[in-house]
Amino acid sequence: MTDKRSAGLLLFRDAAGGAGIEVLLGHMGGPYWERRDDGAWSIPKGEYTPDEEPLDAARREFTEEIGLPPPEGPYLPLGEVRIPGGKLVTVWAVRADLDPALMVPGTFTMEWPPRSGRTAAFPELDRVAWFPPEAAETKLVSSQVTFIERLLGLPEG
């Protein structure tokens, strides 16, 4: 088991026409994910060190991955999930709207193609979009679906 930790923010808003809510997900960037759709989306999140508060990390990572400031709270805790590989992921939900066209993604570098000796930069998330919960559960990597279920279980506020 690893001691790595990750924290993120799950934005949600009222869907048009009173059709419940929608959640904001990011499609993972880079060559491994470019041709995948179902199971290739994530809650905007990232790793943090033990000296950083998880909510502070979630807000920082939102800015790093989306390129926009995090929305103001209230932040609704959705708890933790240990994902395959052992990382502990903590997520907060926050009611906010965001225009996906305004996203300016952060980047990461990796050797590409493999064993080529060349490095290339790729977006952390190559796009963000709003989804109703049922679609989000299909789009998300399976280890994060629990956070959608927990959001739907929160009392209406």
Side-chain angles (χ1 to χ4, degrees), residues 8-71:
L9 298 178
L10 177 60
L11 272 58
F12 69 100
R13 69 180 185 185
D14 293 324
I21 64 166
E22 296 175 315
V23 295
L24 185 77
L25 303 179
H27 185 268
M28 291 185 277
Y32 294 118
W33 301 101
E34 67 185 348
R35 289 186 177 84
R36 294 185 56 194
D37 190 48
D38 288 352
W41 294 71
S42 177
I43 295 166
K45 62 175 183 45
E47 290 186 7
Y48 65 97
T49 58
D51 60 335
E52 187 175 16
E53 288 297 319
L55 182 55
D56 293 341
R59 291 174 48 84
R60 175 185 50 76
E61 285 292 334
F62 183 89
T63 300
E64 287 179 14
E65 294 205 348
I66 306 284
L68 299 169

Side-chain angles (χ1 to χ4, degrees), residues 64-136:
E64 287 179 14
E65 294 205 348
I66 306 284
L68 299 169
E72 293 304 317
Y75 296 102
L76 310 171
L78 298 180
E80 300 174 333
V81 169
R82 191 163 302 276
I83 63 171
K87 184 187 294 182
L88 192 62
V89 178
T90 307
V91 170
W92 286 264
V94 58
R95 183 181 294 273
D97 203 353
L98 179 145
D99 180 352
L102 299 178
M103 176 183 153
V104 181
T107 60
F108 69 96
T109 58
M110 65 181 276
E111 183 180 16
W112 192 257
R115 296 175 292 289
S116 67
R118 294 186 306 226
T119 57
F122 299 97
E124 296 267 357
L125 300 173
D126 57 24
R127 62 190 180 277
V128 295
W130 290 98
F131 294 98
E134 311 76 42

Side-chain angles (χ1 to χ4, degrees), residues 1 3 5 8 15 20 39-40 45 57-58 61 69 88 91 102 120-121 125 129 131 142 144 150-151 156-157:
M1 189 155 36
D3 59 353
R5 294 177 167 266
K45 62 175 183 45
E61 285 292 334
L88 192 62
V91 170
L102 299 178
L125 300 173
F131 294 98
S142 61
Q144 295 178 25
R150 290 177 182 172
L151 173 63
E156 291 291 321

